[in-house]
Coordinates of all heavy atoms in Angstrom, one line a residue:
M9 N 25.7 11.1 8.4 CA 24.6 11.2 9.3 C 23.3 11.3 8.6 O 22.3 10.6 8.9 CB 24.9 12.2 10.4 CG 23.7 12.4 11.4 SD 23.7 10.9 12.5 CE 22.4 11.4 13.6
K10 N 23.2 12.2 7.7 CA 22.1 12.5 6.9 C 21.7 11.3 6.1 O 20.5 11.0 5.9 CB 22.2 13.7 6.0 CG 22.2 15.1 6.7 CD 22.3 16.2 5.8 CE 22.3 17.5 6.5 NZ 22.4 18.6 5.6
T11 N 22.6 10.7 5.5 CA 22.4 9.5 4.8 C 21.8 8.4 5.6 O 20.8 7.7 5.1 CB 23.7 9.0 4.2 OG1 24.4 10.0 3.4 CG2 23.5 7.8 3.2
N12 N 22.2 8.1 6.8 CA 21.7 7.1 7.7 C 20.2 7.5 8.0 O 19.4 6.6 8.2 CB 22.5 6.9 8.9 CG 23.8 6.2 8.6 OD1 23.9 5.6 7.5 ND2 24.9 6.4 9.4
M13 N 20.0 8.7 8.3 CA 18.7 9.2 8.7 C 17.7 9.0 7.5 O 16.6 8.5 7.7 CB 18.7 10.6 9.1 CG 17.4 11.1 9.7 SD 17.3 12.8 10.3 CE 18.6 12.6 11.7
A14 N 18.1 9.4 6.3 CA 17.3 9.2 5.2 C 16.9 7.7 4.9 O 15.8 7.5 4.6 CB 17.9 9.8 4.0
T15 N 17.9 6.9 5.1 CA 17.6 5.4 4.9 C 16.7 5.0 6.0 O 15.9 4.1 5.7 CB 19.1 4.7 5.0 OG1 19.8 5.2 4.0 CG2 18.8 3.2 4.7
G16 N 16.8 5.5 7.2 CA 16.0 5.1 8.3 C 14.5 5.4 8.0 O 13.6 4.8 8.2
V17 N 14.3 6.6 7.4 CA 12.9 7.1 7.1 C 12.4 6.2 6.0 O 11.2 5.8 6.1 CB 13.1 8.6 6.6 CG1 11.7 9.0 6.0 CG2 13.4 9.5 7.8
V18 N 13.2 5.8 5.1 CA 12.7 5.0 3.9 C 12.4 3.5 4.5 O 11.3 3.0 4.2 CB 13.7 4.9 2.8 CG1 13.3 3.9 1.7 CG2 13.8 6.2 2.1
L19 N 13.2 3.1 5.5 CA 13.0 1.9 6.1 C 11.7 1.9 6.9 O 10.8 0.9 6.8 CB 14.2 1.4 6.9 CG 14.1 0.1 7.6 CD1 13.9 -1.0 6.5 CD2 15.3 -0.2 8.4
L20 N 11.4 3.0 7.6 CA 10.2 3.1 8.4 C 9.0 3.2 7.5 O 8.0 2.6 7.8 CB 10.3 4.4 9.3 CG 9.1 4.6 10.2 CD1 9.0 3.4 11.2 CD2 9.3 6.0 10.9
A21 N 9.2 3.8 6.4 CA 8.0 3.9 5.4 C 7.7 2.5 4.8 O 6.6 2.2 4.6 CB 8.4 4.9 4.2
T22 N 8.8 1.8 4.6 CA 8.6 0.4 4.0 C 7.9 -0.4 5.0 O 7.0 -1.2 4.6 CB 9.9 -0.2 3.6 OG1 10.7 0.6 2.7 CG2 9.8 -1.6 3.0
L23 N 8.3 -0.4 6.3 CA 7.6 -1.2 7.3 C 6.2 -0.8 7.5 O 5.3 -1.6 7.7 CB 8.4 -1.1 8.6 CG 9.8 -1.8 8.5 CD1 10.6 -1.5 9.9 CD2 9.7 -3.2 8.3
T24 N 5.9 0.5 7.4 CA 4.5 1.0 7.5 C 3.7 0.5 6.4 O 2.6 0.0 6.5 CB 4.5 2.5 7.5 OG1 5.4 3.0 8.6 CG2 3.1 3.1 7.7
G25 N 4.2 0.4 5.1 CA 3.5 -0.1 4.0 C 3.3 -1.6 4.1 O 2.2 -2.0 3.8
L26 N 4.3 -2.3 4.7 CA 4.1 -3.8 4.9 C 3.0 -4.0 5.9 O 2.2 -4.9 5.7 CB 5.3 -4.4 5.3 CG 6.4 -4.7 4.2 CD1 7.7 -5.1 4.8 CD2 5.8 -5.7 3.2
A27 N 3.1 -3.2 7.0 CA 2.0 -3.4 8.0 C 0.5 -3.0 7.4 O -0.4 -3.7 7.8 CB 2.2 -2.4 9.2
A28 N 0.5 -2.0 6.6 CA -0.8 -1.7 6.0 C -1.3 -2.9 5.1 O -2.4 -3.3 5.1 CB -0.7 -0.4 5.2
I29 N -0.4 -3.5 4.3 CA -0.7 -4.6 3.4 C -1.2 -5.8 4.3 O -2.2 -6.4 4.0 CB 0.5 -5.0 2.5 CG1 0.7 -4.0 1.5 CG2 0.3 -6.4 1.9 CD1 2.0 -4.2 0.7
V30 N -0.4 -6.1 5.3 CA -0.9 -7.3 6.2 C -2.2 -6.9 6.8 O -3.1 -7.8 6.8 CB 0.2 -7.5 7.2 CG1 -0.3 -8.4 8.3 CG2 1.5 -8.0 6.6
G31 N -2.5 -5.7 7.3 CA -3.7 -5.3 7.8 C -4.9 -5.5 6.9 O -6.0 -6.0 7.2
I32 N -4.7 -5.0 5.7 CA -5.7 -5.1 4.7 C -6.0 -6.6 4.4 O -7.2 -7.0 4.2 CB -5.3 -4.4 3.4 CG1 -5.3 -2.8 3.7 CG2 -6.2 -4.6 2.2 CD1 -4.7 -2.0 2.5
L33 N -5.0 -7.4 4.2 CA -5.2 -8.8 3.8 C -6.0 -9.5 5.0 O -6.9 -10.3 4.7 CB -3.9 -9.4 3.6 CG -3.2 -9.2 2.2 CD1 -1.8 -9.7 2.2 CD2 -4.0 -9.6 1.1
I34 N -5.5 -9.2 6.2 CA -6.2 -9.9 7.4 C -7.7 -9.5 7.4 O -8.6 -10.3 7.5 CB -5.5 -9.6 8.7 CG1 -4.2 -10.2 8.7 CG2 -6.5 -9.9 9.9 CD1 -3.4 -9.9 9.9
Y35 N -8.0 -8.1 7.2 CA -9.4 -7.6 7.2 C -10.2 -8.2 6.1 O -11.3 -8.6 6.2 CB -9.3 -6.1 7.1 CG -10.7 -5.5 7.2 CD1 -11.3 -5.4 8.5 CD2 -11.4 -5.0 6.1 CE1 -12.6 -4.8 8.6 CE2 -12.7 -4.5 6.3 CZ -13.3 -4.4 7.5 OH -14.5 -3.9 7.7
A36 N -9.5 -8.4 4.8 CA -10.2 -8.9 3.6 C -10.6 -10.3 3.9 O -11.7 -10.7 3.5 CB -9.4 -8.6 2.4
F37 N -9.7 -11.1 4.5 CA -9.9 -12.6 4.7 C -11.0 -12.8 5.8 O -11.7 -13.7 5.7 CB -8.7 -13.3 5.0 CG -7.8 -13.6 3.8 CD1 -6.5 -13.2 3.8 CD2 -8.3 -14.3 2.7 CE1 -5.7 -13.4 2.7 CE2 -7.5 -14.6 1.6 CZ -6.3 -14.1 1.6
Q38 N -11.0 -11.9 6.8 CA -12.0 -12.0 7.8 C -13.3 -11.5 7.5 O -14.3 -11.8 8.1 CB -11.5 -11.5 9.1 CG -10.3 -12.1 9.8 CD -9.9 -11.4 11.1 OE1 -10.3 -10.3 11.4 NE2 -9.0 -12.2 11.8
N39 N -13.4 -10.6 6.5 CA -14.7 -10.0 6.1 C -15.4 -10.9 5.1 O -15.0 -10.9 4.0 CB -14.4 -8.6 5.6 CG -15.6 -7.9 5.3 OD1 -16.7 -8.3 5.4 ND2 -15.4 -6.6 4.8
D40 N -16.4 -11.6 5.5 CA -17.1 -12.5 4.6 C -18.1 -11.7 3.7 O -18.6 -12.3 2.7 CB -17.9 -13.5 5.4 CG -16.9 -14.5 6.1 OD1 -15.8 -14.6 5.6 OD2 -17.3 -15.0 7.1
S41 N -18.5 -10.5 4.1 CA -19.6 -9.8 3.4 C -19.1 -9.2 2.1 O -19.9 -9.0 1.1 CB -20.1 -8.7 4.3 OG -19.2 -7.7 4.5
G42 N -17.9 -8.8 1.9 CA -17.3 -8.2 0.7 C -17.4 -6.7 0.7 O -17.1 -6.1 -0.2
H43 N -18.1 -6.2 1.7 CA -18.2 -4.7 1.8 C -17.7 -4.2 3.2 O -17.6 -5.0 4.2 CB -19.5 -4.2 1.5 CG -20.6 -4.8 2.6 ND1 -20.8 -4.2 3.8 CD2 -21.5 -5.8 2.4 CE1 -21.7 -4.7 4.4 NE2 -22.2 -5.7 3.7
T44 N -17.4 -3.0 3.3 CA -16.9 -2.3 4.5 C -17.3 -0.9 4.5 O -17.7 -0.3 3.6 CB -15.3 -2.4 4.5 OG1 -14.8 -1.9 5.7 CG2 -14.7 -1.7 3.4
G45 N -17.3 -0.4 5.8 CA -17.8 1.0 6.0 C -16.7 2.0 5.5 O -17.1 3.2 5.3
F46 N -15.5 1.7 5.4 CA -14.5 2.7 5.0 C -14.1 2.4 3.6 O -14.2 1.3 3.1 CB -13.3 2.7 5.9 CG -12.3 1.4 5.7 CD1 -11.3 1.6 5.0 CD2 -12.6 0.3 6.4 CE1 -10.4 0.5 4.7 CE2 -11.8 -0.8 6.2 CZ -10.7 -0.7 5.3
D47 N -13.5 3.4 2.9 CA -13.0 3.3 1.6 C -11.7 2.7 1.5 O -10.8 3.3 2.1 CB -13.1 4.7 0.9 CG -12.8 4.6 -0.6 OD1 -12.6 3.5 -1.2 OD2 -12.6 5.6 -1.3
P48 N -11.4 1.5 1.0 CA -10.1 0.9 1.1 C -9.1 1.8 0.3 O -7.9 1.7 0.6 CB -10.4 -0.4 0.3 CG -11.7 -0.8 0.5 CD -12.5 0.6 0.5
Y49 N -9.6 2.6 -0.5 CA -8.6 3.5 -1.3 C -8.0 4.6 -0.4 O -7.1 5.3 -0.8 CB -9.2 4.1 -2.6 CG -9.3 3.1 -3.7 CD1 -10.5 2.4 -4.2 CD2 -8.1 2.6 -4.4 CE1 -10.6 1.5 -5.2 CE2 -8.1 1.7 -5.3 CZ -9.4 1.2 -5.7 OH -9.4 0.4 -6.8
T50 N -8.5 4.8 0.7 CA -7.9 5.8 1.7 C -6.5 5.3 2.1 O -5.8 6.2 2.5 CB -8.8 6.0 2.9 OG1 -9.0 4.7 3.6 CG2 -10.1 6.6 2.6
T51 N -6.3 4.1 2.0 CA -4.9 3.6 2.3 C -3.8 4.1 1.3 O -2.7 3.8 1.5 CB -4.8 2.1 2.5 OG1 -5.3 1.5 1.4 CG2 -5.6 1.7 3.8
L52 N -4.3 4.7 0.2 CA -3.3 5.3 -0.7 C -2.5 6.3 0.0 O -1.4 6.7 -0.4 CB -4.1 5.8 -1.9 CG -4.6 4.8 -3.0 CD1 -5.4 5.4 -4.0 CD2 -3.5 3.9 -3.5
V53 N -3.0 6.8 1.1 CA -2.4 7.9 1.9 C -1.0 7.3 2.5 O -0.1 8.0 2.7 CB -3.2 8.4 3.0 CG1 -2.5 9.2 4.0 CG2 -4.5 9.1 2.5
V54 N -1.0 6.0 2.6 CA 0.2 5.2 3.0 C 1.1 4.9 1.9 O 2.2 5.1 1.9 CB -0.2 4.0 3.9 CG1 1.1 3.2 4.2 CG2 -0.9 4.4 5.1
F55 N 0.4 4.2 0.9 CA 1.2 3.6 -0.2 C 1.9 4.6 -1.2 O 3.0 4.4 -1.6 CB 0.4 2.7 -1.0 CG -0.1 1.5 -0.2 CD1 -1.4 1.2 -0.2 CD2 0.8 0.8 0.6 CE1 -1.9 0.2 0.6 CE2 0.4 -0.3 1.3 CZ -1.0 -0.6 1.4
V56 N 1.2 5.7 -1.5 CA 1.8 6.8 -2.4 C 3.1 7.4 -1.7 O 4.1 7.5 -2.4 CB 0.8 7.8 -2.8 CG1 1.5 9.0 -3.5 CG2 -0.3 7.1 -3.7
P57 N 3.0 7.8 -0.5 CA 4.3 8.4 0.1 C 5.5 7.3 0.2 O 6.6 7.6 0.1 CB 3.9 8.8 1.5 CG 2.4 9.1 1.4 CD 1.9 8.1 0.5
V58 N 5.1 6.0 0.4 CA 6.1 5.0 0.5 C 6.9 4.9 -1.0 O 8.0 4.9 -1.0 CB 5.5 3.6 0.8 CG1 6.5 2.5 0.6 CG2 5.0 3.6 2.2
V59 N 6.1 5.0 -2.0 CA 6.6 4.9 -3.3 C 7.5 6.2 -3.6 O 8.6 6.1 -4.1 CB 5.5 4.8 -4.5 CG1 6.1 5.0 -5.8 CG2 4.8 3.4 -4.3
L60 N 6.9 7.3 -3.2 CA 7.7 8.6 -3.5 C 8.9 8.6 -2.6 O 10.0 9.0 -3.1 CB 6.8 9.7 -3.1 CG 5.6 10.0 -4.1 CD1 4.8 11.1 -3.5 CD2 6.1 10.2 -5.4
A61 N 8.9 8.1 -1.4 CA 10.2 8.1 -0.5 C 11.1 7.2 -1.2 O 12.3 7.4 -1.2 CB 9.8 7.6 0.9
G62 N 10.8 6.0 -1.7 CA 11.7 5.1 -2.3 C 12.3 5.6 -3.6 O 13.5 5.6 -3.9
I63 N 11.5 6.3 -4.4 CA 11.9 6.9 -5.6 C 13.0 8.0 -5.3 O 14.0 8.1 -5.9 CB 10.8 7.3 -6.6 CG1 10.0 6.1 -7.1 CG2 11.3 8.2 -7.6 CD1 8.8 6.5 -7.8
L64 N 12.6 8.9 -4.4 CA 13.5 10.0 -4.1 C 14.7 9.5 -3.6 O 15.8 10.0 -3.9 CB 12.9 10.9 -3.0 CG 11.8 11.8 -3.6 CD1 11.1 12.6 -2.3 CD2 12.3 12.8 -4.5
R65 N 14.7 8.4 -2.8 CA 16.0 7.9 -2.2 C 16.8 7.2 -3.3 O 18.1 7.4 -3.3 CB 15.6 6.8 -1.1 CG 16.8 6.3 -0.3 CD 17.3 7.5 0.5 NE 18.6 7.1 1.2 CZ 19.7 7.7 1.3 NH1 19.7 9.0 0.8 NH2 20.7 7.3 1.9
L66 N 16.1 6.6 -4.3 CA 16.9 6.0 -5.4 C 17.6 7.1 -6.2 O 18.7 7.0 -6.7 CB 16.0 5.2 -6.3 CG 15.7 3.8 -5.8 CD1 14.6 3.2 -6.7 CD2 16.9 2.9 -5.9
V67 N 16.9 8.2 -6.4 CA 17.5 9.3 -7.2 C 18.6 10.0 -6.5 O 19.6 10.3 -7.1 CB 16.3 10.2 -7.6 CG1 16.9 11.6 -8.2 CG2 15.3 9.7 -8.5
M68 N 18.4 10.1 -5.1 CA 19.4 10.9 -4.4 C 20.7 10.2 -4.0 O 21.7 10.6 -3.9 CB 18.8 11.5 -3.1 CG 17.6 12.3 -3.3 SD 18.1 13.9 -4.1 CE 17.1 15.1 -3.4
Q69 N 20.4 8.8 -3.9 CA 21.6 8.0 -3.4 C 22.4 7.5 -4.6 O 21.9 6.9 -5.6 CB 21.1 6.8 -2.6 CG 22.1 6.0 -2.0 CD 23.0 6.6 -1.0 OE1 22.6 7.5 -0.3 NE2 24.3 6.3 -1.1
R70 N 23.6 7.6 -4.6 CA 24.4 7.1 -5.7 C 25.3 5.9 -5.4 O 25.3 4.9 -6.1 CB 25.4 8.3 -6.2 CG 24.8 9.5 -6.7 CD 24.2 9.2 -8.0 NE 23.5 10.4 -8.5 CZ 22.4 10.3 -9.2 NH1 21.8 9.3 -9.5 NH2 21.9 11.4 -9.7
G71 N 26.0 5.9 -4.3 CA 27.0 4.9 -4.1 C 26.6 3.7 -3.0 O 27.0 2.6 -3.3
N72 N 25.8 4.0 -2.0 CA 25.6 3.1 -1.0 C 24.6 2.1 -1.5 O 23.4 2.3 -1.7 CB 25.0 3.8 0.3 CG 24.9 3.0 1.5 OD1 25.0 1.8 1.3 ND2 24.7 3.5 2.5
T73 N 25.0 0.8 -1.7 CA 24.1 -0.2 -2.2 C 23.0 -0.7 -1.2 O 22.0 -1.0 -1.7 CB 24.9 -1.5 -2.7 OG1 25.7 -1.9 -1.6 CG2 25.8 -1.1 -3.8
A74 N 23.4 -0.6 0.0 CA 22.3 -1.0 1.0 C 21.2 0.0 1.1 O 19.9 -0.4 1.1 CB 23.0 -1.1 2.4
A75 N 21.5 1.3 0.9 CA 20.4 2.3 0.8 C 19.6 2.1 -0.5 O 18.4 2.4 -0.4 CB 21.0 3.7 1.0
R76 N 20.2 1.7 -1.5 CA 19.5 1.6 -2.8 C 18.6 0.4 -2.7 O 17.4 0.5 -3.1 CB 20.5 1.5 -3.9 CG 21.2 2.7 -4.2 CD 22.2 2.6 -5.4 NE 21.5 2.5 -6.7 CZ 20.9 3.4 -7.3 NH1 21.0 4.6 -6.9 NH2 20.3 3.3 -8.5
W77 N 19.0 -0.7 -2.0 CA 18.1 -1.8 -1.9 C 16.9 -1.5 -1.0 O 15.8 -1.9 -1.2 CB 18.9 -3.1 -1.3 CG 19.6 -3.8 -2.3 CD1 21.0 -3.8 -2.5 CD2 19.1 -4.8 -3.2 NE1 21.3 -4.7 -3.6 CE2 20.1 -5.2 -4.1 CE3 17.7 -5.1 -3.6 CZ2 19.9 -6.0 -5.1 CZ3 17.5 -5.9 -4.6 CH2 18.6 -6.4 -5.4
C78 N 17.2 -0.8 0.0 CA 16.1 -0.3 0.9 C 15.1 0.6 0.2 O 13.9 0.4 0.3 CB 16.7 0.4 2.1 SG 15.5 0.9 3.3
A79 N 15.6 1.4 -0.7 CA 14.8 2.3 -1.4 C 13.9 1.4 -2.5 O 12.8 1.7 -2.7 CB 15.6 3.3 -2.2
L80 N 14.6 0.4 -3.1 CA 13.9 -0.4 -4.1 C 12.8 -1.1 -3.4 O 11.7 -1.3 -3.9 CB 14.9 -1.3 -4.7 CG 14.4 -2.2 -5.8 CD1 13.8 -1.4 -7.0 CD2 15.5 -3.1 -6.4
C81 N 13.1 -1.7 -2.2 CA 12.1 -2.4 -1.4 C 10.9 -1.5 -1.1 O 9.7 -1.9 -1.2 CB 12.7 -2.9 -0.1 SG 13.7 -4.3 -0.3
A82 N 11.1 -0.2 -0.8 CA 10.1 0.8 -0.5 C 9.1 0.9 -1.8 O 7.9 0.9 -1.7 CB 10.6 2.1 -0.1
V83 N 9.8 1.1 -2.9 CA 9.1 1.3 -4.2 C 8.2 -0.1 -4.4 O 7.0 0.0 -4.7 CB 10.0 1.5 -5.3 CG1 9.2 1.5 -6.7 CG2 10.7 2.9 -5.2
L84 N 8.8 -1.2 -4.2 CA 8.0 -2.5 -4.5 C 6.9 -2.6 -3.5 O 5.8 -3.1 -3.9 CB 9.1 -3.6 -4.4 CG 10.0 -3.7 -5.5 CD1 11.0 -4.8 -5.3 CD2 9.3 -3.9 -6.9
V85 N 7.1 -2.4 -2.2 CA 6.0 -2.4 -1.2 C 4.9 -1.5 -1.6 O 3.7 -1.8 -1.5 CB 6.6 -2.2 0.2 CG1 5.4 -2.0 1.2 CG2 7.5 -3.4 0.6
G86 N 5.2 -0.2 -2.0 CA 4.2 0.8 -2.2 C 3.4 0.3 -3.4 O 2.2 0.4 -3.5
I87 N 4.1 -0.1 -4.5 CA 3.4 -0.6 -5.7 C 2.6 -1.8 -5.4 O 1.4 -1.9 -5.9 CB 4.4 -0.8 -6.8 CG1 4.9 0.5 -7.4 CG2 3.8 -1.7 -8.0 CD1 6.1 0.5 -8.3
T88 N 3.1 -2.7 -4.6 CA 2.3 -3.9 -4.3 C 1.0 -3.5 -3.5 O -0.1 -4.1 -3.8 CB 3.1 -4.8 -3.3 OG1 4.3 -5.2 -4.1 CG2 2.4 -6.1 -3.0
G89 N 1.1 -2.5 -2.6 CA -0.1 -2.0 -1.9 C -1.1 -1.5 -2.9 O -2.3 -1.8 -2.7
V90 N -0.7 -0.7 -3.8 CA -1.6 -0.1 -4.8 C -2.2 -1.3 -5.6 O -3.5 -1.3 -5.9 CB -1.0 0.9 -5.7 CG1 -1.8 1.3 -6.8 CG2 -0.5 2.1 -4.8
V91 N -1.4 -2.2 -6.1 CA -2.0 -3.3 -6.9 C -3.0 -4.1 -6.1 O -4.0 -4.6 -6.6 CB -0.8 -4.2 -7.4 CG1 -1.3 -5.5 -8.1 CG2 0.0 -3.4 -8.5
L92 N -2.7 -4.4 -4.8 CA -3.6 -5.1 -4.0 C -4.9 -4.4 -3.8 O -6.0 -5.0 -4.0 CB -3.0 -5.2 -2.5 CG -3.9 -5.9 -1.5 CD1 -4.2 -7.3 -1.8 CD2 -3.3 -5.8 -0.1
L93 N -4.9 -3.1 -3.6 CA -6.2 -2.3 -3.6 C -6.9 -2.4 -4.8 O -8.2 -2.6 -4.8 CB -5.9 -0.8 -3.3 CG -5.4 -0.5 -1.9 CD1 -5.0 1.0 -1.8 CD2 -6.3 -1.0 -0.9
V94 N -6.3 -2.3 -6.0 CA -7.0 -2.4 -7.3 C -7.6 -3.9 -7.4 O -8.7 -4.0 -8.0 CB -6.0 -2.1 -8.5 CG1 -6.7 -2.4 -9.8 CG2 -5.7 -0.6 -8.4
Y95 N -6.8 -4.9 -7.0 CA -7.2 -6.3 -7.1 C -8.5 -6.5 -6.3 O -9.5 -7.1 -6.7 CB -6.2 -7.2 -6.7 CG -6.7 -8.6 -6.7 CD1 -7.0 -9.4 -7.8 CD2 -6.9 -9.2 -5.4 CE1 -7.5 -10.7 -7.6 CE2 -7.5 -10.5 -5.3 CZ -7.8 -11.2 -6.4 OH -8.3 -12.5 -6.3
L96 N -8.5 -6.0 -5.0 CA -9.6 -6.2 -4.2 C -10.8 -5.5 -4.7 O -12.0 -5.9 -4.5 CB -9.2 -5.7 -2.7 CG -8.2 -6.5 -2.0 CD1 -7.9 -5.8 -0.7 CD2 -8.7 -7.9 -1.8
D97 N -10.6 -4.4 -5.3 CA -11.7 -3.6 -5.9 C -12.3 -4.3 -7.2 O -13.5 -4.5 -7.2 CB -11.3 -2.2 -6.3 CG -12.4 -1.3 -6.9 OD1 -13.5 -1.2 -6.2 OD2 -12.2 -0.9 -8.1
Q98 N -11.4 -4.7 -8.0 CA -11.9 -5.3 -9.3 C -12.5 -6.7 -9.2 O -13.4 -7.2 -9.9 CB -10.8 -5.4 -10.4 CG -10.3 -4.0 -10.7 CD -11.3 -3.2 -11.4 OE1 -12.0 -3.7 -12.3 NE2 -11.4 -1.9 -11.0
S99 N -12.0 -7.4 -8.1 CA -12.6 -8.7 -7.8 C -13.7 -8.7 -6.9 O -14.3 -9.8 -6.5 CB -11.4 -9.6 -7.2 OG -11.0 -9.1 -6.0
N100 N -14.2 -7.5 -6.5 CA -15.3 -7.3 -5.6 C -15.1 -8.0 -4.3 O -16.0 -8.4 -3.6 CB -16.7 -7.8 -6.2 CG -17.0 -6.9 -7.4 OD1 -16.8 -5.7 -7.4 ND2 -17.6 -7.6 -8.4
T101 N -13.9 -8.1 -3.8 CA -13.6 -8.7 -2.6 C -13.7 -7.8 -1.4 O -14.2 -8.2 -0.3 CB -12.1 -9.3 -2.5 OG1 -12.0 -10.1 -3.7 CG2 -11.7 -10.0 -1.3
L102 N -13.4 -6.6 -1.5 CA -13.4 -5.6 -0.5 C -13.9 -4.3 -1.0 O -13.0 -3.6 -1.6 CB -12.2 -5.4 0.4 CG -12.2 -4.7 1.6 CD1 -13.2 -5.3 2.6 CD2 -10.9 -4.5 2.2
L103 N -15.1 -3.9 -0.9 CA -15.6 -2.6 -1.5 C -16.2 -1.8 -0.4 O -16.7 -2.3 0.6 CB -16.7 -2.9 -2.4 CG -16.4 -3.8 -3.6 CD1 -17.6 -4.1 -4.4 CD2 -15.4 -3.1 -4.5
Q104 N -16.2 -0.5 -0.5 CA -16.9 0.4 0.3 C -18.4 0.1 0.1 O -18.8 -0.2 -1.0 CB -16.7 1.8 -0.1 CG -17.2 2.8 1.0 CD -16.9 4.3 0.6 OE1 -16.5 4.6 -0.5 NE2 -17.0 5.1 1.7
Y105 N -19.1 0.2 1.1 CA -20.6 -0.2 1.2 C -21.3 0.4 0.0 O -22.1 -0.2 -0.6 CB -21.1 0.2 2.5 CG -22.6 -0.4 2.6 CD1 -22.9 -1.8 2.8 CD2 -23.7 0.4 2.6 CE1 -24.2 -2.3 2.7 CE2 -25.0 0.0 2.6 CZ -25.3 -1.4 2.8 OH -26.6 -1.9 2.9
E106 N -21.2 1.8 -0.2 CA -22.0 2.4 -1.2 C -21.6 1.9 -2.6 O -22.4 1.8 -3.5 CB -21.7 3.9 -1.2 CG -22.3 4.6 0.0 CD -21.6 4.4 1.3 OE1 -20.4 4.0 1.2 OE2 -22.1 4.7 2.3
V107 N -20.3 1.6 -2.8 CA -19.9 1.0 -4.1 C -20.4 -0.4 -4.4 O -20.9 -0.8 -5.4 CB -18.3 0.9 -4.2 CG1 -17.7 0.3 -5.4 CG2 -17.8 2.4 -4.1
W108 N -20.5 -1.1 -3.2 CA -21.0 -2.5 -3.2 C -22.5 -2.5 -3.6 O -22.9 -3.3 -4.4 CB -20.8 -3.1 -1.8 CG -21.2 -4.5 -1.6 CD1 -20.7 -5.6 -2.1 CD2 -22.3 -5.0 -0.8 NE1 -21.2 -6.7 -1.7 CE2 -22.3 -6.4 -0.9 CE3 -23.3 -4.4 0.0 CZ2 -23.2 -7.1 -0.2 CZ3 -24.2 -5.2 0.6 CH2 -24.2 -6.6 0.5
I109 N -23.2 -1.5 -3.1 CA -24.6 -1.3 -3.5 C -24.7 -1.0 -4.9 O -25.5 -1.5 -5.8 CB -25.4 -0.4 -2.6 CG1 -25.5 -1.0 -1.3 CG2 -26.7 0.0 -3.2 CD1 -26.1 -0.1 -0.2
Q110 N -23.8 0.0 -5.4 CA -23.9 0.4 -6.8 C -23.7 -0.7 -7.8 O -24.2 -0.7 -8.9 CB -22.9 1.5 -7.1 CG -23.4 2.8 -6.5 CD -22.3 3.9 -6.7 OE1 -21.2 3.6 -7.1 NE2 -22.6 5.2 -6.3
R111 N -22.8 -1.7 -7.4 CA -22.5 -2.7 -8.2 C -23.4 -3.9 -8.1 O -23.2 -5.0 -8.7 CB -21.0 -3.2 -8.0 CG -20.0 -2.3 -8.3 CD -18.6 -2.8 -8.1 NE -17.6 -1.8 -8.3 CZ -16.4 -2.0 -8.2 NH1 -15.9 -3.2 -7.7 NH2 -15.5 -1.0 -8.4
G112 N -24.5 -3.7 -7.5 CA -25.6 -4.7 -7.5 C -25.3 -5.7 -6.3 O -25.7 -6.8 -6.5
M113 N -24.6 -5.4 -5.4 CA -24.3 -6.3 -4.2 C -23.8 -7.7 -4.7 O -24.5 -8.7 -4.6 CB -25.5 -6.4 -3.3 CG -26.0 -5.2 -2.7 SD -27.5 -5.4 -1.7 CE -28.7 -5.4 -3.0
P114 N -22.6 -7.6 -5.3 CA -22.1 -8.9 -5.9 C -21.9 -10.0 -4.9 O -21.5 -9.9 -3.8 CB -20.8 -8.5 -6.5 CG -20.5 -7.2 -5.9 CD -21.7 -6.6 -5.4

């Protein structure tokens, strides 16, 4: 029972991370200005726990291959979210307004 519940939590975290990635991508494509009022890096509050949940599940789970795949997906989704944030920042695609001004309004 605990194993199924832990896998369910990891699956929920993975789906939350995917929803955050989709939301960020939609917002970035619809935002023509390149700046936003919120700091995109605040979504690390979602991605870091997803990675941690996946890693913990990988470490704790030994035999169940389905749970290991779910945990691996969580780690990949979390890392993908972090990489997306860094890409959007470095490419000046989606920046917090104050950062956008500091960078000379690219």
Side-chain angles (χ1 to χ4, degrees):
M9 178 70 175
K10 288 183 182 180
T11 303
N12 291 338
M13 187 178 294
T15 302
V17 168
V18 171
L19 183 61
L20 183 63
T22 304
L23 293 176
T24 303
L26 282 173
I29 289 172
V30 169
I32 290 168
L33 287 174
I34 289 171
Y35 186 77
F37 282 123
Q38 289 181 348
N39 184 358
D40 295 333
S41 65
H43 62 81
T44 183
F46 75 94
D47 185 6
Y49 282 109
T50 57
T51 54
L52 287 175
V53 171
V54 174
F55 298 127
V56 170
V58 171
V59 171
L60 292 177
I63 290 172
L64 284 173
R65 188 70 184 138
L66 279 173
V67 170
M68 299 295 214
Q69 185 62 35
R70 296 287 181 218
N72 190 348
T73 58
R76 292 183 70 77
W77 277 107
C78 186
L80 184 61
C81 286
V83 172
L84 291 176
V85 165
I87 290 173
T88 300
V90 172
V91 168
L92 174 65
L93 291 176
V94 171
Y95 170 76
L96 291 174
D97 180 56
Q98 295 300 312
S99 66
N100 295 325
T101 304
L102 188 63
L103 302 171
Q104 186 178 21
Y105 185 71
E106 289 79 14
V107 174
W108 184 69
I109 289 175
Q110 287 175 351
R111 292 188 186 175
M113 298 176 283

